[in-house]
Amino acid sequence: MVLLLFGPPGSGKGTQSGRISNWLGIPAISTGDMLREEIKAGTALGNAAQSIMASGGLVGDDLVNRMLAQRVSSPDSAHGFLLDGYPRTVEQAEYLDRLIEERQFQTPIVLHLDVPMDALVGRLTSRRQCPQCKRIYNLLHQPPRTPGICDDDGTPLITRKDDSEEVVTERIRTYDEVTRPVLAYYQDRKYHQIRGDRSPSYIFEAITGILEPIVSKNGNCCAKPKPPI
Ligand code: AMP
């Protein structure tokens, strides 16, 4: 199963992709996380991406496409994967179509978390992330048990550099102008819109409600029982 998780920055894609990946036993691939790892490792790709990401713009299609193609070649992706934050341009969507055809992956199922734009800035500036396991917290409605510390592995949480108000505003503008048209590209395919302005558990229930009939029909549901709500 190939899943594409869409939504503006701050719509909760990271939280949902972790839950879906655990539930279905497929890798969640976040191009944003991959690019941050490249920056940390000081690679040529990381150096090329750094200033673009810091300003809230999009890294070039060629670079991201190549990185993605390489990632989905790993054995863990052979039976499916979830993409979080890719494709973000129509060019990337066209590239993904060609990749899917070439590698004979299944037709992607698109999940769109729709959140009103005016709710996003507050959500993003109160977001914290574990740099180790990548789990995402929100000081407003999903705080860690101990302030500033990851519940899962005890690592001190960080604020992502691009979650400052100025950069967040630019990221939202980029989403609206460049990524929103990608949704039109998928509209007549396996496209599902989900209200993203609800609790993470409510959203996950909505997602499993959409996916359960499909995965049980395909006979590959599910790696683990659904986590408790
Ligand atoms: P994210 O963690 O998905 O919010 O991504 C953080 C940043 O990484 C974005 O603001 C972009 O600068 C860059 N990025 C992530 N995915 C892509 C992509 N598919 N295409 C271009 N840039 C990307």
Side-chain angles (χ1 to χ4, degrees):
M1 168 175 284
V2 175
L3 297 173
L4 309 183
L5 193 53
F6 274 95
S11 57
K13 294 192 301 296
T15 302
Q16 295 303 328
S17 70
R19 289 190 179 198
I20 299 168
S21 159
N22 273 336
W23 174 49
L24 292 176
I26 55 174
I29 299 173
S30 153
T31 43
D33 280 346
M34 290 176 75
L35 290 166
R36 281 184 285 277
E37 290 301 323
E38 296 282 341
I39 292 174
K40 215 162 93 187
T43 64
L45 170 55
N47 292 338
Q50 192 159 25
S51 60
I52 302 170
M53 288 172 71
S55 70
L58 290 183
V59 177
D61 290 331
D62 281 355
L63 293 180
V64 181
N65 288 343
R66 252 183 286 144
M67 179 180 80
L68 193 270
Q70 202 178 1
R71 175 64 185 85
V72 299
S73 306
S74 347
D76 70 341
S77 304
H79 301 295
F81 48 85
L82 176 155
L83 299 182
D84 160 6
Y86 183 97
R88 255 174 156 104
T89 65
V90 172
E91 285 74 12
Q92 291 178 16
E94 289 167 351
Y95 178 85
L96 181 64
D97 269 351
R98 291 195 294 277
L99 194 70
I100 282 173
E101 201 183 324
E102 214 178 272
R103 310 252 175 113
Q104 298 179 349
F105 288 128
Q106 287 175 0
T107 308
I109 298 165
V110 177
L111 303 170
H112 170 202
L113 302 185
D114 193 26
V115 178
M117 287 296 166
D118 54 9
L120 295 173
V121 175
R123 276 185 175 216
L124 283 163
T125 50
S126 54
R127 181 160 81 166
R128 301 291 179 270
Q129 187 171 27
C130 172
Q132 190 62 35
C133 70
K134 312 289 182 225
R135 181 167 166 186
I136 292 168
Y137 297 85
N138 192 293
L139 302 185
L140 301 177
H141 46 74
Q142 255 190 306
R145 282 194 296 271
T146 309
I149 300 293
C150 179
D151 292 350
D152 295 339
D153 56 29
T155 307
L157 302 179
I158 56 162
T159 304
R160 271 171 46 178
K161 282 206 188 88
D162 57 353
D163 278 348
S164 71
E165 190 161 343
E166 192 191 353
V167 180
V168 157
T169 308
E170 180 58 20
R171 286 167 62 205
I172 294 170
R173 197 188 63 76
T174 304
Y175 176 83
D176 224 22
E177 279 182 16
V178 187
T179 305
R180 199 175 277 286
V182 181
L183 291 170
Y185 184 87
Y186 286 109
Q187 213 95 65
D188 55 356
R189 313 234 196 139
K190 296 179 178 172
Y191 170 86
H192 303 270
Q193 190 166 4
I194 298 145
R195 281 190 60 171
D197 58 347
R198 302 289 181 93
S199 72
S201 299
Y202 180 97
I203 297 169
F204 184 61
E205 274 290 280
I207 291 173
T208 55
I210 291 165
L211 296 181
E212 239 158 8
I214 304 170
V215 282
S216 24
K217 201 168 110 199
N218 288 355
N220 61 351
C221 184
C222 301
K224 293 179 191 167
K226 224 159 58 169
I229 296 298

